[in-house]
Amino acid sequence: MKDFDEETAFLGDWGPYQKLIFILLSLSSIPNGYVGMSMVFLADIPPHHCRVPFLNSSYGGLGYNLSIPTEELKGETILSRCRRYSEQEDSDAAYRNDTEGCLDGWVFSKERYVSTIVTEWNLVCDHDWKTPFTVTVFFLGVLVGSFLSGIISDRYGRKIIFFATMAVQTVFSLIQAASNSWEMFCVFYFIVGMGQIANYCAAFILGCELLNKSCRVTFATLGISYTYALGYALLPLFAFFIRDWRMLLVALSVPGFLYIPLWWYVPESPRWLLSQGRVEEAEAIIRAAAKMNGITPPDVIFKRDDTAKLMEGDVHDEKKHTWLDLFRTTNIRNITILNVFIWTIISLTYFGLSLNTPNMDGDPYLICLFAAGTEFAGYTIIWFAGRYASRRLTLCFTVLFCGIVLLLIKLVPAELGALSVTLAMLGKITITGAFLFVYLYGAELLPTVVRNMGLGITIMASRVGSTVSAYIAYMGTYDRTLPYILMGCISIVCGIVSLLLPETKDEPLPENISQVKPLHWFCGKKKPAMTNGQEKNGYQGNRAEFELE
């Protein structure tokens, strides 16, 4: 019995049908790029100080220096952001030490922004914790969405979920722009986070199932990743011309409606239809694809008697496995624990650097554009490294290099801000590559029978890292180098620890738990290699099976 790719091989490798699906699904990832990073500008904290009732001037106006004490921030002396002298009417108030909080609110600088959610709801001083928590709420939505998306798409289909989550992301972003309280904003942001990651996952799965093997790898590693980076790059352009947070959110939401016509061009996954026994619908989609490619399909594409076996395969052994099997033996337990640690650190560092762009020296719009540019460079480097370099050394080098350059920022004098930004961008390039690379490496480390479960745990661990990243970036508002020191140290530890992982490049994928490789210790005896008989019993040739899936 042939598998799905063999049954549909007559479609060819790169015809008009494959090109159309590749382009449309890749373009659908553009909104995901700027929705995930929009808080860089929506929640930026402008310079501010206490409002004084009898002074109506703007931020930093005359008279404030007599009514508000000074403080030092990032090496500069500024008016206190959270305290004022308690008796402003007294002519000797400038010489008193009694201070009080900002009882009449705050005055925010409008030099860069007309408004942000920080100025809208005074998310400063005693309420400053709400700013990073807002980002955490989004990533909690991402965590829930990544967990639910696979379950829902398996039940209701790829196409329905793809367009439903795109609608959720677009519509709730528009509603979010009308929020009249911070709590309301967070509730909608949580839902947007669920829709954002679910839409990205649905597009990824749909593309991998609609495209053949030769197109699938390029789509998964470059196509959808490059357009995500393109969306990221569009964010600072939108934000530069739209300085009000509500209008910016509306402008970022409206393009989602441009994807409505895709409903008539993107079909349902034939693989999923076959798994549901809907053979006629699956054949109709394949025949339409053949017509678009100018190919005459065979009279019978899928044999109904073989449909269930074709899509399900021999899964009897897999059904016997549970999450506990990821910790059953020493080898797979070590791999699981290391994967969770490595994915958490990489995700924390990646999003920490991305969210920290407003705290870097220089124009935040330009720096955000540079940060988006590093995505293209990181993906391209990893594309070549994945083809020609060792898996262990690639992961170790990218994460270790990121940690080293981030620690070097501490040594850069404050007046050399451009050098600090350059080092941060170099770290961003390599950690971006590592963020993509661990998906490939992590899948190769795990056996077929628990691969989906293992990746599910590690992906959820990475979402935990992203929820913490907002607080790492928030430290940059008080100390310019502290986030880099923290991210640099944990990245170096992560890079060194990653050397313990076994090599998987050009080697057959493990099928059973007993075939998981031991850690690569730098001393001690190597375990004996598997016998030829073991290879014949399912270990050899599974790499092709994984690429198919």
Side-chain angles (χ1 to χ4, degrees):
M1 182 185 65
K2 299 179 180 179
D3 62 28
F4 182 87
D5 279 348
E6 291 175 333
E7 295 280 9
T8 59
F10 63 86
L11 290 176
D13 290 335
W14 192 239
Y17 166 76
Q18 287 89 353
K19 293 177 182 178
L20 179 66
I21 297 299
F22 186 99
I23 293 172
L24 293 182
L25 289 179
S26 294
L27 291 177
S28 73
S29 185
I30 291 178
N32 297 327
Y34 55 66
V35 167
M37 297 298 176
S38 61
M39 286 297 286
V40 168
F41 298 104
L42 294 177
D44 197 9
I45 306 174
H48 56 278
H49 56 64
C50 292
R51 183 181 300 279
V52 179
F54 58 85
L55 294 175
N56 295 320
S57 57
S58 59
Y59 172 81
L62 294 175
Y64 279 115
N65 59 332
L66 298 178
S67 303
I68 299 176
T70 59
E71 64 181 11
E72 188 172 331
L73 179 67
K74 297 181 180 179
E76 297 182 10
T77 300
I78 61 172
L79 294 176
S80 176
R81 296 170 297 171
C82 300
R83 308 296 296 177
R84 69 182 187 184
Y85 290 117
S86 56
E87 297 181 10
Q88 291 84 1
E89 296 85 354
D90 189 346
S91 60
D92 295 328
Y95 304 100
R96 302 172 64 95
N97 292 324
D98 297 335
T99 60
E100 61 187 5
C102 300
L103 304 180
D104 298 293
W106 290 263
V107 177
F108 293 91
S109 170
K110 294 186 179 295
E111 179 181 359
R112 181 170 295 158
Y113 303 107
V114 174
S115 68
T116 67
I117 66 168
V118 174
T119 66
E120 182 83 14
W121 295 303
N122 293 326
L123 307 183
V124 293
C125 299
D126 291 341
H127 299 280
D128 59 358
W129 60 271
K130 294 181 178 180
T131 302
F133 184 74
T134 306
V135 183
T136 297
V137 167
F138 172 81
F139 283 118
L140 288 175
V142 170
L143 175 64
V144 174
S146 61
F147 176 74
L148 295 178
S149 61
I151 299 174
I152 298 175
S153 65
D154 284 343
R155 180 171 182 178
Y156 297 104
R158 318 308 194 201
K159 181 177 179 178
I160 289 291
I161 300 305
F162 172 67
F163 285 98
T165 53
M166 184 178 291
V168 167
Q169 178 177 273
T170 302
V171 172
F172 279 92
S173 290
L174 282 174
I175 299 176
Q176 188 183 15
S179 300
N180 57 17
S181 68
W182 172 74
E183 291 79 8
M184 181 179 178
F185 182 92
C186 287
V187 170
F188 290 130
Y189 207 29
F190 178 86
I191 299 174
V192 170
M194 291 178 59
Q196 188 253 11
I197 189 62
N199 179 253
Y200 184 87
C201 292
F204 184 89
I205 294 171
L206 194 55
C208 290
E209 293 184 351
L210 286 172
L211 297 171
N212 54 29
K213 190 182 302 184
S214 61
C215 305
R216 195 177 304 143
V217 176
T218 303
F219 170 79
T221 56
L222 294 183
I224 199 168
S225 299
Y226 272 10
T227 50
Y228 179 93
L230 177 60
Y232 189 0
L234 290 175
L235 173 62
L237 301 181
F238 275 96
F240 180 80
F241 292 103
I242 306 174
R243 304 297 179 98
D244 176 76
W245 76 268
R246 293 184 188 272
M247 293 308 300
L248 175 59
L249 203 51
V250 170
L252 294 176
S253 305
V254 168
F257 293 103
L258 299 177
Y259 293 95
I260 294 177
L262 266 64
W263 176 268
W264 290 276
Y265 294 96
V266 176
E268 180 57 271
S269 166
R271 293 174 182 266
W272 181 81
L273 290 171
L274 288 173
S275 71
Q276 304 299 306
R278 295 157 65 175
V279 182
E280 292 81 3
E281 295 176 62
E283 284 200 356
I285 292 172
I286 298 300
R287 293 185 186 280
K291 183 179 179 180
M292 184 179 295
N293 285 352
I295 297 171
T296 302
D299 294 334
V300 177
I301 300 176
F302 304 111
K303 297 179 180 179
R304 287 165 176 75
D305 293 339
D306 292 338
T307 298
K309 293 181 180 179
L310 177 68
M311 299 312 303
E312 295 176 8
D314 185 12
V315 298
H316 299 295
D317 291 337
E318 187 172 354
K319 289 181 179 178
K320 298 177 183 177
H321 293 83
T322 66
W323 300 91
L324 295 177
D325 289 306
L326 292 169
F327 302 91
R328 187 203 301 175
T329 67
T330 300
N331 289 348
I332 196 169
R333 180 167 59 249
N334 291 338
I335 294 295
T336 301
I337 293 173
L338 280 183
N339 271 344
V340 167
F341 173 76
I342 291 170
W343 283 54
T344 301
I345 299 304
I346 289 176
S347 179
L348 187 153
T349 306
Y350 170 78
F351 285 105
L353 283 174
S354 300
L355 296 173
N356 194 49
T357 51
N359 299 322
M360 297 181 185
D361 295 323
D363 187 282
Y365 303 101
L366 193 59
I367 293 175
C368 185
L369 186 62
F370 289 156
T374 63
E375 301 271 323
F376 295 99
Y379 296 146
T380 303
I381 290 172
I382 285 301
W383 166 255
F384 286 103
R387 292 172 65 91
Y388 303 109
S390 160
R391 300 285 192 255
R392 290 175 60 248
L393 296 182
T394 297
L395 181 60
C396 174
F397 174 79
T398 52
V399 181
L400 202 59
F401 181 86
C402 174
I404 292 172
V405 296
L406 292 184
L407 288 182
L408 289 177
I409 296 176
K410 174 65 177 177
L411 306 178
V412 177
E415 59 271 16
L416 297 179
L419 179 58
S420 297
V421 173
T422 301
L423 292 174
M425 292 299 107
L426 287 175
K428 179 72 163 51
I429 289 175
T430 55
I431 204 65
T432 297
F435 192 70
L436 175 64
F437 185 73
V438 288
Y439 281 85
L440 169 64
Y441 195 12
E444 292 178 347
L445 289 167
L446 295 167
T448 302
V449 292
V450 291
R451 184 170 291 124
N452 287 338
M453 289 187 289
L455 287 178
I457 282 185
T458 50
I459 289 173
M460 290 182 67
S462 72
R463 303 309 176 197
V464 173
S466 62
T467 60
V468 178
S469 64
Y471 293 94
I472 298 293
Y474 183 65
M475 295 177 184
T477 61
Y478 296 94
D479 189 305
R480 180 181 66 90
T481 60
L482 184 57
Y484 301 122
I485 294 174
L486 292 175
M487 290 186 289
C489 290
I490 60 177
S491 294
I492 288 176
V493 173
C494 179
I496 295 173
V497 169
S498 68
L499 285 174
L500 296 175
L501 294 174
E503 182 57 60
T504 61
K505 180 175 171 55
D506 298 329
E507 296 186 13
L509 294 176
E511 180 180 359
N512 302 312
I513 292 177
S514 61
Q515 296 168 340
V516 175
K517 293 184 177 182
L519 296 185
H520 189 279
W521 299 106
F522 299 99
C523 59
K525 296 180 180 179
K526 291 185 178 181
K527 293 193 176 183
M530 288 183 302
T531 64
N532 293 333
Q534 286 176 307
E535 289 185 351
K536 291 178 181 178
N537 288 332
Y539 191 82
Q540 206 167 20
N542 283 307
R543 178 173 298 277
E545 178 187 343
F546 168 66
E547 289 178 353
L548 175 100
E549 293 172 354

